[in-house]
Every structure is written in structure tokens, then in C-alpha cells.
Amino acid sequence: MTQDITLKATRADTFYYPPDWNPCRGSLDQFQRKKGFEHHFGKSRTKNLDKGLLVIRFEMPFKVQCLRCSTYVGQGTRYDADKKKVGKYFSTPLYEFAMRCGAITGHDQSADGGVHCNQRFVIRTDPKNDDYELVEGLRRKVQTWEAEDAGNVWFHDSNTRQKMAEDPMFRVEKVGRDLARERSEKKRFFDLEELQAEREDTYALNCRMRRLHRDLRKEELAREEAKKREGKANFALPMQPPSAQDSMEAASVTFRTDHDKVAVAARRAAASAAPLFR
């Protein structure tokens, strides 16, 4: 199913010229379309071919910033661009790519009053410097850093190398510091490897985390249930623990009962419960 998929993609992008294609019988797009390899742009990619414009997918070669909306466009962002040949540098053709900024800015900041920024980007190839030239609408974001600050391998400059060659003690100290730093970096590297190995089994870590969450949830539910069973505190005041003295005082209290009133209440209750008709 996936055999020759790379060749199919190459044919669809018109980077492949088959041996049975004859320019006298039509364009390469027409020939590929008859073979079943249609470009994803369709016929719209060649609608301005008479003007020298071909619609392609252009990938941003480096990080840039739009001059209208100040939005940063990351390296590798793709656009539908108009490709045009604008000249030559010796025998190397110069190509120009035009596209529009797709950042959502609103009607006030848009170039044509729409929702998107729609600032026109124009980028041109620069074979002289092996780079790209930003012609219109954007600027390049220059990112610089020191190799030593980034923790990368860095080499001594010419002054340090000359001093190491002239001063043996300085060379010994310098080499000692470099070796100590190398050992520290190796230890840090091994620690990171061990940490990565411990976190490699994401399924087990997920199960452990969910089990811990369930246990915590059960404890919370048990505390809430116990709190409900206890009910509200009497007068909203904490109760003191029982003592022997309180029990003795409670036992010494005697209550007098009026038996006549109790008998009258019992007779009334029996009378009210008895049926009216016998």
C-alpha cells in the first residue's frame, strides 16, 4: 500500500520529470493529473503561471517577526506562497516568495481591514551569502548566546592558549578545572539518565498516581461521613470528656414523679385511641 509513496509525493510536487513526458504535449501538471497525481492546490497553483507566478508551500527558514503586528513566526511555519523568478546571480536563478501574515489582529491593525494581519511578506534567495534576503514586511530575529553559558563545549581563545603555552602552572590549573567540570557534567548526565529511566514507564506512573488519588479520596469521604454521623456540636461548643465526679453528681440527683398525673394521662391516651362505635 505504501510502496513508492515517496515517488508519488515527489511527482505530486512536480519535482520529478518522468521519461515519458513530452513538453510539446502539454504542461507537467496536466501530464501528472492524467496519471492520477494531483497537486493538493489543484489548478489554482498554476492560474497565474502566465505572469511567472507559481503557488507553492513555503517553509520559513528561520524565526522572523512581522513588522505590522509584531507577531513572531517560528522556524518551519508553512505558507501558501507565490514563487517568482526575479533574476540571476551568475548562473544561479534568484527566486522571490510572497505570502501573507495569518495572525489574527482585528480590523484596526489589519493591512486590508480584515480580521487577519495580512501583511505582505517578501523573501528572496541570496546565493551569494548562502542565505535568504528579507525584502518586505518582516525582520529576522537574531538569537545569540555564549557557549559557556549554554553549557556547551567551548574552546579556549588564542590568548588563553598562548598563556597556557607560556605558563606551565596556569596550564595545570586550567586542565584541572576542566577535568573537574567534566566529571561534574558526567555525573549530572548519569543522574539525568537514571531519572529518565525511572520515568520511562508512563503507564505504571499513571496507575500509581491514580491509586494514590483514589486512596486520598476515600480518606476524605470517610472523614466527611464521620463528621455527618457526629452531627452538629451542642450549642456549637466543644464537649468536655466525661469524668467520675460528674457521674457521681448526676447519680445523686433524685426526681419526684406525680403518679396521679401519669395515670390520668394514660387513661386519656387510651380513651382517645379507643373506637367511637363498639
Side-chain angles (χ1 to χ4, degrees):
M1 180 67 96
T2 58
Q3 187 178 6
D4 298 333
I5 190 171
T6 305
L7 182 59
K8 292 180 181 180
T10 306
R11 288 179 178 179
D13 290 335
T14 67
F15 294 135
Y16 172 75
Y17 296 90
D20 53 346
W21 171 63
N22 190 350
C24 301
R25 297 182 180 179
S27 64
L28 183 60
D29 281 342
Q30 295 175 355
F31 178 81
Q32 298 286 43
R33 197 176 297 114
K34 291 179 182 179
K35 291 286 186 177
F37 302 107
E38 176 64 70
H39 197 277
H40 69 279
F41 284 135
K43 297 181 181 180
S44 61
R45 71 185 299 263
T46 57
K47 63 181 180 180
N48 294 324
L49 198 59
D50 55 337
K51 303 177 184 179
L53 298 177
L54 179 66
V55 179
I56 65 168
R57 288 292 284 176
F58 181 80
E59 186 172 308
M60 198 63 68
F62 38 73
K63 191 172 184 178
V64 297
Q65 184 183 17
C66 176
L67 296 181
R68 175 174 290 273
C69 63
S70 301
T71 301
Y72 286 100
V73 180
Q75 180 182 2
T77 306
R78 295 183 177 183
Y79 291 90
D80 297 343
D82 294 333
K83 177 183 176 183
K84 182 180 181 181
K85 184 178 179 181
V86 294
K88 281 190 175 183
Y89 175 74
F90 294 105
S91 61
T92 305
L94 301 178
Y95 293 102
E96 192 174 81
F97 307 94
M99 62 212 81
R100 297 283 181 176
C101 178
I104 299 178
T105 57
H107 303 284
D108 299 335
Q109 202 172 357
S110 176
D112 54 0
V115 178
H116 298 83
C117 175
N118 289 329
Q119 171 64 34
R120 189 168 183 264
F121 294 161
V122 179
I123 301 177
R124 187 179 301 163
T125 57
D126 187 7
K128 180 179 180 180
N129 301 317
D130 296 332
D131 202 354
Y132 288 89
E133 179 185 357
L134 305 183
V135 181
E136 179 185 347
L138 71 170
R139 70 177 185 89
R140 186 169 186 170
K141 186 178 185 302
V142 181
Q143 295 177 324
T144 58
W145 64 85
E146 295 293 336
E148 185 177 1
D149 298 337
N152 298 331
V153 178
W154 60 284
F155 301 96
H156 305 299
D157 53 4
S158 58
N159 296 331
T160 305
R161 288 197 298 268
Q162 182 178 1
K163 191 174 181 181
M164 290 176 64
E166 295 175 354
D167 191 350
M169 295 301 297
F170 178 78
R171 182 173 64 252
V172 172
E173 294 176 356
K174 185 67 175 175
V175 172
R177 287 196 298 268
D178 292 344
L179 291 176
R181 180 180 178 183
E182 182 182 357
R183 287 192 295 268
S184 176
E185 293 295 334
K186 284 184 178 180
K187 184 178 181 303
R188 178 171 171 271
F189 176 72
F190 291 147
D191 293 341
L192 291 176
E193 280 189 340
E194 293 178 359
L195 182 61
Q196 186 68 22
E198 293 176 358
R199 298 181 177 179
E200 186 176 1
D201 191 359
T202 56
Y203 177 76
L205 290 176
N206 187 24
C207 292
R208 190 185 309 169
M209 182 181 63
R210 293 173 68 88
R211 192 181 306 111
L212 179 62
H213 178 72
R214 285 195 296 268
D215 296 340
L216 293 177
R217 184 59 181 166
K218 288 180 180 178
E219 293 179 1
E220 292 178 358
L221 292 176
R223 287 196 295 267
E224 292 178 0
E225 189 66 24
K227 192 174 181 180
K228 289 180 180 179
R229 286 198 301 268
E230 292 176 358
K232 295 183 179 180
N234 190 15
F235 301 108
L237 297 175
M239 301 295 293
Q240 296 293 332
S243 63
Q245 184 178 359
D246 294 340
S247 301
M248 293 174 60
E249 291 181 359
S252 63
V253 176
T254 56
F255 298 93
R256 295 183 180 181
T257 305
D258 192 346
H259 298 282
D260 296 335
K261 291 184 179 180
V262 173
V264 171
R267 285 196 300 271
R268 288 179 178 177
S272 61
L276 297 176
F277 303 98
R278 295 183 180 179

